[in-house]
Structure formats: structure tokens, C-alpha cells
């Protein structure tokens, strides 16, 4: 029997990779988008034409109920959120509504439509914030350091609450940083790989960044969406840290990216700009994914170096196309 999955946030990096994975497994995939003028919709329709589109808004429960009625899903993956941490200080209210209360609305839509539907919530390593354990695991105290992190904590605990209150198969994946060529240009990894590609071709002079010493546990988004799917195939719902268990600094990211285009010394090309420093910095995130390995059989496949080179190569293709257009 063909399974149906409803994915919120389908036009984002994770949504695209997850939709690809589920389609390859024979799923009918329905993507929830907010309004018909979503600028990323043409990309989705071009890359994944088999995905069905339904409109809805995480802030509007009635629209989510309609989406559930249309999709009739066996599984719901709630990836929709305002996901750029820096922006969450600029608009804490909207971030709290979409990234926090949006989870409650989606859970309620699932409960009212069919509580047997399996639910996945995209939790985040940003919930750990001012880290209380190194590495961070499922039992680590949450201490968020941004409005985004606080909103994710709300959604995380609400998912647990619905699981415990209503017996729903509701799982949370506490995903550490995961990147890809599909990552938005505002995120630091993509900002670096885009700049490196353009600098190597003479299209850009330099790059301004914030804290170069912040350390993150970076993996490949294509690996991480497999863990999401695995969680909903388990007999019991649960929460899982998804991470590589290795940490890299922004400086290391710069080293690998610049070396890939033959630039060994980037010190004169990168400046630190206080505008890009966070009001409250998260210094060290590194996850312990041993529970996911033991219970889900999940492990990351793409190394940090392979990931960075993959992203630089993709951005080089874009930069070369831009250079070609300029030379016409």
C-alpha cells in the first residue's frame, strides 16, 4: 500500500531532500506551502514535479485541517519554521509564533484529523544553547540562547506532551547543524562557500564574518533526512540527537573551503565584522548520536571535508555561470 507523507517547509533544504528520499521509497508526497507566491515554489516544481502542493499556514489551524483533509497523510513531517537564528532577535514575536506555536497547531491538526498519523518534529541543537554537557545528548538540560532556540524548545516539549497525553506517535529529531548546496545563502556555511567560489574567480574581493571561533557539529542534510524517516518507522515514538559527533570551527570551514580552490592563506581575504556577532553566542555544539545509531541504525555517511567541497563545487558552477553572463 502506498504511504502518503505531508511535509511542511518543503521548499527548504531539508524539505527538498526529504521529499526526494520519500519519492524514491514510493511515497505519495504532499508539500504544504504558504500562499501561491512562494518564491521557492518554481524550484520545487522543477526539481520534484511529482510532489503535490497544498496551501496552508502554520499560524492558521483551519488551513492545516484542510491540508490534512486533502493529503490524508500516514506521516507528517513538520519542518516549517523561521529557521535563521540571527533573524530571530530582529523579530522574536514572529519567530515564536511560527517556530513555536506553529508546532502546536500542526500537532493539534494531526490529533483532530487522525491521532494515528505519525508525526515528526524538527527540533534543533540550538535548544542546548549555553551547553551543560559536552557532548550533548537527549537528556542534556536545554538552555537556549536565542528567540529561535526558545521557540524550538516550546515545540519540542509540546511534541513530547502530545505523545504522553494522547498516545500519539510523535517524535523529535534534535538535529545538529546540517548543510548542503541547497542551504540558504544567509547561513554561514553557504555564505563561506559562495564567497570562496566568487573570490577564486575574481568576482568578489573579500568576506566579512562574525565569530570565527564558534564551533559546530556539521553534517550533510541528505544524511539527516534519512534519520527523520527512520524515526517514524519505529514501533515507539521517541526523541533522537542526530549529529556527527565531531566539531569544527568557522576557521576550519574557511581552511577547507579556500584550500579546495587552491588558496592556502585566506587571512587577507576574511574580516571580522561586529555586525555579524550574536547578542548571545553559542560557542560549542557537538552531539552524541549513539542512541540513533543503536536504535535506528543511523550513521552519517558524508564527512565534513566532503560536505564543504561539495558545496564549493556547486557554488563554483553558479559563479562560473555568472562570470560567463558578465563576459557576454
Amino acid at each position: 500500500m502506498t504511504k502518503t507523507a505531508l511535509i511542511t517547509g518543503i521548499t527548504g533544504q531539508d524539505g527538498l531532500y526529504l521529499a526526494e528520499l520519500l519519492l524514491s521509497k514510493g511515497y505519495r508526497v504532499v508539500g504544504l506551502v504558504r500562499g501561491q507566491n512562494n518564491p521557492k515554489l518554481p524550484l520545487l516544481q522543477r526539481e520534484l514535479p511529482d510532489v503535490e502542493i497544498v496551501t496552508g499556514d502554520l499560524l492558521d489551524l483551519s488551513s492545516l485541517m484542510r491540508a490534512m483533509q486533502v493529503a490524508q497523510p500516514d506521516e507528517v513531517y513538520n519542518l516549517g519554521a523561521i529557521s535563521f537564528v540571527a533573524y530571530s532577535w530582529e523579530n522574536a514575536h514572529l519567530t515564536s509564533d511560527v517556530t513555536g506555536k506553529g508546532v502546536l497547531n500542526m500537532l493539534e491538526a494531526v490529533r483532530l484529523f487522525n491521532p494515528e498519523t505519525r508525526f515528526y518534529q524538527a527540533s534543533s541543537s540550538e535548544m542546548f544553547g549555553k551547553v551543560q554537557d559536552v557532548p550533548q545528548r537527549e537528556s542534556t538540560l536545554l538552555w537556549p540562547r536565542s528567540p529561535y532556540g526558545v521557540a524550538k524548545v516550546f515545540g519540542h516539549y509540546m511534541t513530547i506532551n502530545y505523545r504522553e497525553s494522547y498516545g500519539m506517535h510523535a517524535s523529535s529529531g534534535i538535529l545538529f547543524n546540517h548543510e548542503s548546496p541547497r542551504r540558504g545563502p544567509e547561513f554561514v556555511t553557504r555564505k563561506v562557500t559562495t564567497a570562496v567560489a566568487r573570490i577564486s574567480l575574481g568576482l568578489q574581493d573579500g568576506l566579512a564574518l562574525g565569530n570565527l571561533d564558534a564551533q559546530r557539529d556539521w553534517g550533510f542534510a541528505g544524511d539527516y533526512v534519512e534519520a527523520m524517516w527512520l524515526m517514524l518507522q519505529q514501533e515507539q515514538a521517541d526523541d533522537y540527537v542526530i549529529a556527527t559527533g565531531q566539531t569544527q570551527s568557522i576557521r576550519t570551514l574557511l581552511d577547507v573551503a579556500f584550500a579546495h580552490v587552491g588558496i592556502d592563506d585566506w587571512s587577507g581575504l576574511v574580516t571580522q565584522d561586529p555586525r555579524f556577532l550574536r547578542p548571545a553566542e553559542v560557542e560549542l555544539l557537538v552531539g552524541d548520536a549513539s542512541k540513533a545509531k543503536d536504535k535506528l541504525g543511523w550513521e552519517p555517511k558524508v564527512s565534513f571535508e566532503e560536505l564543504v567541497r561539495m558545496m564549493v563545487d556547486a557554488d563554483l558552477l553558479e559563479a562560473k555561470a555568472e562570470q560567463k553572463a558578465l563576459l557576454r
Side-chain angles (χ1 to χ4, degrees):
M1 192 180 82
T2 301
K3 280 188 183 177
T4 295
L6 174 66
I7 304 174
T8 74
I10 193 164
T11 59
Q13 164 190 256
D14 292 7
L16 290 168
Y17 280 110
L18 178 62
E20 258 178 0
L21 175 72
L22 296 179
L23 288 169
S24 75
K25 292 181 180 296
Y27 276 66
R28 169 180 169 247
V29 177
V30 182
L32 183 88
V33 298
R34 188 172 142 270
Q36 290 294 352
N37 293 323
N38 187 314
K40 293 182 180 175
L41 194 54
L43 171 71
L44 171 66
Q45 291 170 324
R46 186 172 66 249
E47 292 199 7
L48 299 171
D50 291 334
V51 170
E52 298 173 36
I53 301 298
V54 62
T55 58
D57 190 327
L58 288 174
L59 302 182
D60 177 7
L61 179 58
S62 63
S63 75
L64 299 179
M65 290 296 296
R66 284 195 303 273
M68 291 291 291
Q69 190 67 46
V70 170
Q72 302 274 324
D74 302 287
E75 299 171 0
V76 170
Y77 295 85
N78 186 43
L79 312 184
I82 290 175
S83 58
F84 188 43
V85 177
Y87 176 75
S88 74
W89 277 282
E90 295 174 27
N91 206 327
H93 277 281
L94 184 62
T95 300
S96 300
D97 284 344
V98 177
T99 306
K101 290 180 191 172
V103 183
L104 171 57
N105 284 336
M106 201 66 239
L107 281 163
E108 188 67 355
V110 171
R111 182 183 75 85
L112 292 171
F113 178 74
N114 179 6
E116 298 300 309
T117 302
R118 298 192 170 196
F119 180 86
Y120 171 83
Q121 167 57 17
S123 289
S124 166
S125 60
E126 287 286 329
M127 300 190 307
F128 295 120
K130 190 176 179 181
V131 297
Q132 303 301 296
D133 292 323
V134 178
Q136 293 89 53
R137 49 186 65 86
E138 292 81 6
S139 58
T140 298
L141 177 70
L142 305 180
W143 196 315
R145 299 263 283 172
S146 66
Y148 169 80
V150 173
K152 280 290 185 184
V153 169
F154 175 88
H156 180 72
Y157 278 126
M158 196 57 76
T159 303
I160 293 170
N161 190 261
Y162 268 62
R163 181 168 75 222
E164 294 179 350
S165 300
Y166 302 113
M168 286 170 56
H169 194 295
S171 296
S172 281
I174 307 170
L175 270 58
F176 279 65
N177 293 63
H178 46 289
E179 317 297 318
S180 75
R182 287 170 166 164
R183 190 57 140 157
E186 69 274 21
F187 290 87
V188 68
T189 47
R190 188 74 195 290
K191 191 175 176 182
V192 166
T193 60
T194 302
V196 166
R198 289 171 55 79
I199 287 167
S200 72
L201 296 174
L203 293 169
Q204 189 171 321
D205 296 328
L207 169 63
L209 294 171
N211 180 9
L212 301 185
D213 298 309
Q215 297 184 71
R216 294 290 183 272
D217 182 328
W218 276 303
F220 172 49
D223 289 343
Y224 284 36
V225 298
E226 186 183 6
M228 299 176 188
W229 175 75
L230 285 167
M231 285 177 217
L232 297 201
Q233 311 317 306
Q234 305 307 303
E235 196 172 321
Q236 299 292 329
D238 208 342
D239 307 319
Y240 296 88
V241 163
I242 303 299
T244 69
Q246 298 177 342
T247 186
Q248 317 286 347
S249 69
I250 304 289
R251 293 183 190 277
T252 307
L253 168 64
L254 289 162
D255 286 341
V256 176
F258 274 108
H260 191 51
V261 295
I263 299 172
D264 296 322
D265 180 12
W266 49 262
S267 57
L269 298 168
V270 178
T271 56
Q272 279 192 276
D273 188 329
R275 287 180 306 152
F276 298 124
L277 295 173
R278 295 180 177 183
E281 183 58 83
V282 175
E283 296 293 345
L284 174 62
L285 288 174
V286 56
D288 175 1
S290 52
K291 180 178 172 181
K293 182 180 178 182
D294 294 343
K295 292 198 171 183
L296 305 178
W298 180 86
E299 283 187 280
K301 300 181 184 77
V302 177
S303 72
F304 173 72
E305 290 77 14
E306 288 170 332
L307 170 64
V308 176
R309 291 195 286 265
M310 176 202 305
M311 293 176 68
V312 172
D313 285 341
D315 284 324
L316 273 169
L317 284 175
E318 283 195 24
K320 283 174 181 172
E322 182 187 343
Q323 188 181 48
K324 196 174 177 183
L326 288 171
L327 293 173
R328 276 184 190 150

